[in-house]
Amino acid sequence: PGRTADPDCGRQVGQLQLIRQVAGLTASIRDRGLLRNQVLKLLQDFFSTSGGGIYQLHDHESPLSLVTEVNISEELSRELQKVPAGKGLISQVVKIGKPLFWADLKSEPQLYCRALLTANWHSVLAHPLIAHERILGVLFLYQNSRRDFSASEIDLLNECCQLLAAAIDSSELVEKLEWQHRLTHASQRELD
């Protein structure tokens, strides 16, 4: 008799393929901007969301900087850049260091950027990018309609965010070492 496809098996295969794709990108792309962009697009497609972005955190006192975005208008991007340090929904993710989900932005008292409602954003899932117990930023996905993310989807996003954070951290370290090497080399030439 014919076998019927197991939907759980198909979902697991899809999840493993996503993790493999993210791992492949993190291993092959050295440019942080390009890496963030490629991974964000991949996640936005996989989770079938309206769009998303990645905030970079320089330190806890400075405002978050939106460094990568998918399907966010220039005007809205400028508004998102104006959110002060410690304000808004994304800052809550930074404070607790764990993913947060907002099913209905209209009912969120902590929403700082009201322009999100004008842009028809309805639900947001935000996940911290953590490497070596240090928060490097926050990746978020938004939906223009009500969306509930399952625990398995949040776990999968966690795996992808860990890979991305590790790659960003390594890239920053390599960049610092190269800069230090150039300074040392320039100083040595001066001494010679």
Side-chain angles (χ1 to χ4, degrees):
R3 298 171 105 182
T4 58
D6 181 0
D8 284 341
C9 184
R11 187 171 32 257
Q12 288 174 345
V13 168
Q15 291 173 350
L16 289 173
Q17 286 175 336
L18 175 66
I19 291 170
R20 185 184 57 76
Q21 287 176 301
V22 171
L25 290 172
T26 60
S28 63
I29 300 175
R30 192 165 167 211
D31 178 84
R32 280 192 310 266
L34 180 60
L35 174 63
R36 286 188 306 251
N37 191 277
Q38 293 291 316
V39 170
L40 183 61
K41 284 182 179 177
L42 185 64
L43 294 174
Q44 187 256 333
D45 285 343
F46 183 86
F47 289 105
S48 300
T49 61
S50 303
I54 298 175
Y55 279 102
Q56 183 175 332
L57 179 67
H58 298 288
D59 58 63
H60 286 284
E61 287 77 41
S62 65
L64 290 160
S65 176
L66 185 62
V67 292
T68 305
E69 62 225 31
V70 173
N71 294 333
I72 298 176
S73 70
E74 281 185 44
E75 183 180 333
L76 184 56
S77 179
R78 282 192 297 274
E79 289 299 312
L80 289 169
Q81 296 286 13
K82 294 177 187 177
V83 177
K87 299 285 186 192
L89 300 177
I90 300 297
S91 67
Q92 293 176 27
V93 176
V94 172
K95 284 177 192 163
I96 66 168
K98 297 195 181 314
L100 289 174
F101 170 65
W102 300 275
D104 185 9
L105 292 180
K106 290 179 190 145
S107 64
E108 289 302 326
Q110 297 293 322
L111 182 65
Y112 184 88
C113 184
R114 307 304 288 179
L116 297 180
L117 301 178
T118 307
N120 200 30
W121 287 27
H122 200 287
S123 302
V124 174
L125 171 62
H127 200 293
L129 297 172
I130 301 173
H132 304 291
E133 299 181 12
R134 181 173 69 99
I135 296 181
L136 307 175
V138 176
L139 182 145
F140 68 89
L141 299 170
Y142 75 87
Q143 191 71 38
N144 287 337
S145 58
R146 183 174 175 89
R147 168 83 182 260
D148 291 315
F149 288 89
S150 69
S152 66
E153 287 178 312
I154 294 172
D155 288 345
L156 178 60
L157 184 61
N158 180 53
E159 294 291 326
C160 295
C161 285
Q162 285 179 7
L163 289 168
L164 179 58
I168 290 170
D169 187 56
S170 296
S171 173
E172 287 177 356
L173 179 60
V174 167
E175 195 173 277
K176 287 176 186 174
L177 289 172
E178 287 174 345
W179 176 248
Q180 186 63 41
H181 176 73
R182 285 194 294 271
L183 285 176
T184 303
H185 193 68
S187 296
Q188 187 61 44
R189 280 197 315 254
E190 268 309 296
L191 288 173
D192 289 347

